[in-house]
Amino acid sequence: IVFAALTPFMTEIFDLLSRPMMAALPAGSKLLATGVTTPFMVPLKVTLFMALLIALPYVLWQVWAFVAPGLYKHEKKLAAPLIASSVLMFALGMAYCYFVVFGLVFKFIAGFAPASVAVSPDIEAYFGFVMGMFLAFGLTFEVPIIVVLLARFGIADVQKLKQARPYVIVGAFIIAAVFTPPDVLSQLLLAIPLCLLYELGIFLARFVVKPKDADETAAQEAP
């Protein structure tokens, strides 16, 4: 239903998605469509992606309604906030990517183009790049939730999470190098938030650890 409602606005939705790139290109520049069906298929894919995002809370709610009767009471208390916070953090990651990262990265990359080169990316390649970046930053913003779950289920206490900090920092830059373009700015824009979100997860983990785990953590941190 959502997809059908958005279909008449396919071109407007794609223009919205391409706005950060167009803002980085010289005035009068346009994206290219090299395939025969590309001018239709790519906006259609973008619209389908948008529809999935809009419908995601409802889909997850239906999954929750199906699973909830088989859960214990304490599991229900944990599952509902977990689903809501996961959707929220993923959306925040995408918003950060769209409003902050794209503008900086596209201007940075376009600034290196020689004067003899006309920068006009193919819309299919642009769509693939944008989807990959959205996924990378959306998952990055799930880090605090993962850290909190590790602490909540006793897999790693706060002290162990702190001890893992150097490995997380190295891993953050490795992940950034894999999932972002090969420029320093893109990697920093992913690695730094990942490290900060890990620290946020450690801070929040103090409030969700079980009483027994909290006592053990306090004993380990005592001089």
Side-chain angles (χ1 to χ4, degrees), residues 85-97 100-101 133-147 189-190 192-194 196-198 200-201:
S85 59
S86 297
V87 173
L88 176 61
M89 293 303 292
F90 195 91
L92 288 176
M94 291 182 57
Y96 169 74
C97 184
V100 178
V101 177
M133 292 287 282
F134 276 155
L135 180 62
F137 281 87
L139 293 177
T140 294
F141 273 64
E142 300 290 339
V143 167
I145 298 174
I146 296 173
V147 172
L189 289 173
L190 179 60
I192 293 176
L194 199 157
L196 294 177
L197 290 167
Y198 182 78
L200 175 62

Side-chain angles (χ1 to χ4, degrees), residues 77-181:
K77 291 181 179 180
L78 180 63
L82 176 62
I83 293 174
S85 59
S86 297
V87 173
L88 176 61
M89 293 303 292
F90 195 91
L92 288 176
M94 291 182 57
Y96 169 74
C97 184
Y98 180 83
F99 290 105
V100 178
V101 177
F102 284 165
L104 295 174
V105 170
F106 292 154
K107 288 180 181 178
F108 178 79
I109 295 175
F112 281 91
S116 58
V117 175
V119 181
S120 301
D122 177 69
I123 61 173
E124 193 163 10
Y126 178 74
F127 173 73
F129 172 81
V130 167
M131 293 302 103
M133 292 287 282
F134 276 155
L135 180 62
F137 281 87
L139 293 177
T140 294
F141 273 64
E142 300 290 339
V143 167
I145 298 174
I146 296 173
V147 172
V148 168
L149 289 177
L150 290 175
R152 180 65 180 83
F153 291 108
I155 299 175
D157 57 30
V158 175
Q159 185 63 25
K160 290 181 180 179
L161 292 171
K162 288 183 177 180
Q163 293 173 353
R165 186 181 287 126
Y167 304 101
V168 171
I169 294 174
V170 174
F173 281 90
I174 293 175
I175 292 172
V178 172
F179 289 100
T180 61

Side-chain angles (χ1 to χ4, degrees), residues 199-214:
E199 294 297 327
L200 175 62
I202 293 177
F203 174 76
L204 295 176
R206 298 175 178 273
F207 304 99
V208 299
V209 292
K210 298 177 182 179
K212 180 179 178 182
D213 295 334

